[in-house]
């Protein structure tokens, strides 16, 4: 995505903020449409999430009330920030991971919004509270981003001022997360399709090389195709090499270049 495209998206978001008096259904539609456009215009899921954090900061920040944003992904036996609006936001997320506790992790795990207006006065996360307060934070908002399967995701929003998030801002963040949920699922599906497509290309390319090598062995040994492939497999096992690499070596040994398989998109 070009800088011009990102600027246009930020402009779209600002226009939506000015027209926030619309209905909740209208806001959901606006956010979903914008985020789905982002999915189609970004190269991968990580880029989409980075843009998501920046748009969240742009939507919720105001004069004298800067916010920081990160996206946490929880998978079985693994948790981490997959995108952040700034190094400060990443550090704020990492404090929660150190204690495996905090409002944002709780939001992602329970699929419920968690808000604290002044973390220094909140007793729900005692050990975490002391550590995060040292960073000068007061307000923290955790909003779940529902995903399929066992994976959990959350939008983590921080501010240095106490009671920085009004009820209206909380609703807006929830609307934003809802739109992000639909778009993130779409982004993941697209990523899986792209990965499957690349795997298919690699497999077909390998097949071409193996078929050519088998043909060379058939000509040299006057054997069947099955016997030639058996010779390749035996060499692959004996040399602890991939079958495709053995085939490429056979092709190279007769002065041929490894064939290129051409695909039409």
């Amino acid at each position: 995505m070009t800088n011009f495209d990102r600027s246009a998206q930020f402009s779209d978001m600002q226009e939506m903020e000015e027209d926030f008096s619309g209905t909740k259904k209208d806001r959901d539609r606006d956010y979903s449409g914008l985020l789905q456009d982002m999915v189609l215009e970004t190269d991968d899921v990580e880029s989409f999430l980075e843009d998501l954090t920046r748009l969240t900061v742009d939507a919720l920040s105001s004069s004298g009330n800067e916010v920081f944003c990160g996206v946490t992904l929880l998978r079985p036996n693994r948790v981490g920030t997959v995108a952040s609006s700034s190094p400060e936001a990443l550090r704020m997320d990492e404090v929660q991971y150190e204690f495996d506790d905090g409002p944002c992790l709780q939001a992602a795990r329970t699929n419920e919004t968690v808000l604290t207006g002044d973390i220094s006065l909140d007793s729900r996360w005692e050990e975490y509270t002391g550590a995060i307060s040292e960073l000068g934070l007061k307000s923290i908002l955790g909003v779940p981003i529902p995903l399929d399967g066992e994976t959990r995701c959350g939008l983590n929003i921080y501010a240095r001022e106490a009671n920085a998030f009004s009820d209206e801002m909380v609703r807006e963040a929830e609307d934003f997360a809802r739109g992000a949920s639909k778009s993130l699922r779409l982004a993941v599906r697209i990523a899986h399709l792209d990965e499957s497509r690349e795997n298919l290309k690699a497999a077909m390319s390998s097949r071409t090389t193996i078929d050519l090598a088998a043909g060379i062995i058939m000509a040299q040994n006057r054997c069947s195709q099955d016997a030639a492939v058996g010779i390749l497999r035996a060499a692959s096992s004996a040399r602890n090499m991939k079958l495709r690499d053995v085939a490429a070596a056979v092709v190279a040994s007769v002065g041929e270049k490894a064939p290129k398989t051409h695909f039409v998109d």
Side-chain angles (χ1 to χ4, degrees):
M1 182 186 292
T2 66
N3 290 333
F4 176 79
D5 292 331
R6 287 194 172 94
S7 297
Q9 288 178 343
F10 285 129
S11 176
D12 290 341
M13 178 61 72
Q14 289 169 346
E15 290 177 3
M16 284 192 290
E17 290 303 300
E18 294 172 359
D19 192 32
F20 188 76
S21 58
T23 65
K24 176 179 178 298
K25 185 176 181 180
D26 290 338
R27 294 199 305 273
D28 283 350
R29 188 182 301 114
D30 286 339
Y31 285 132
S32 295
L34 176 61
L35 292 169
Q36 286 173 17
D37 286 345
M38 285 169 52
V39 169
L40 299 177
E41 293 172 5
T42 50
D43 297 328
D44 51 45
V45 175
E46 183 178 356
S47 296
F48 165 73
L49 292 173
E50 292 287 351
D51 286 341
L52 170 62
T53 62
R54 296 187 187 100
L55 285 172
T56 301
V57 168
D58 185 70
L60 299 182
S61 291
S62 60
S63 178
N65 184 30
E66 180 184 11
V67 304
F68 309 88
C69 181
V71 176
T72 289
L73 194 65
L74 288 84
R75 287 166 285 190
N77 302 318
R78 187 177 179 185
V79 58
T81 295
V82 290
S84 60
S85 63
S86 65
E88 292 91 340
L90 176 59
R91 177 56 187 145
M92 294 167 189
D93 283 348
E94 288 175 341
V95 174
Q96 294 199 61
Y97 308 149
E98 290 172 9
F99 293 93
D100 194 31
D101 199 12
C104 300
L105 286 178
Q106 181 176 323
R109 285 168 172 158
T110 63
N111 204 33
E112 295 182 357
T113 298
V114 178
L115 171 67
T116 176
D118 189 341
I119 189 65
S120 66
L121 303 177
D122 202 317
S123 60
R124 285 178 287 181
W125 313 279
E126 294 183 2
E127 293 184 351
Y128 163 77
T129 294
I132 199 68
S133 295
E134 293 179 359
L135 297 180
L137 288 177
K138 292 292 187 179
S139 300
I140 304 176
L141 174 62
V143 183
I145 302 177
L147 295 179
D148 298 323
E150 297 182 2
T151 302
R152 298 288 181 268
C153 189
L155 195 61
N156 315 327
I157 309 170
Y158 307 91
R160 299 192 185 282
E161 301 296 321
N163 302 311
F165 303 116
S166 65
D167 291 343
E168 184 177 51
M169 292 172 70
V170 172
R171 287 193 297 270
E172 185 176 5
E174 290 174 335
D175 292 341
F176 205 47
R178 246 188 311 273
S181 172
K182 298 176 183 177
S183 299
L184 185 53
R185 292 178 188 182
L186 175 61
V188 169
R189 291 191 186 108
I190 291 174
H192 285 167
L193 287 174
D194 287 343
E195 182 179 359
S196 297
R197 186 168 177 268
E198 291 304 314
N199 288 341
L200 178 59
K201 282 185 177 182
M204 292 179 69
S205 178
S206 295
R207 185 73 259 173
T208 301
T209 302
I210 293 168
D211 286 344
L212 183 55
I216 292 171
I217 294 174
M218 289 168 65
Q220 292 175 338
N221 295 272
R222 299 182 182 276
C223 62
S224 67
Q225 183 179 29
D226 287 344
V229 172
I231 292 172
L232 286 172
R233 294 188 184 280
S236 171
S237 177
R239 300 179 186 180
N240 194 27
M241 293 173 61
K242 291 183 178 179
L243 183 60
R244 183 189 185 284
D245 293 337
V246 172
V250 171
V251 173
S253 71
V254 295
E256 296 286 345
K257 292 183 178 180
K260 292 184 178 179
T261 304
H262 298 280
F263 301 90
V264 178
D265 291 329

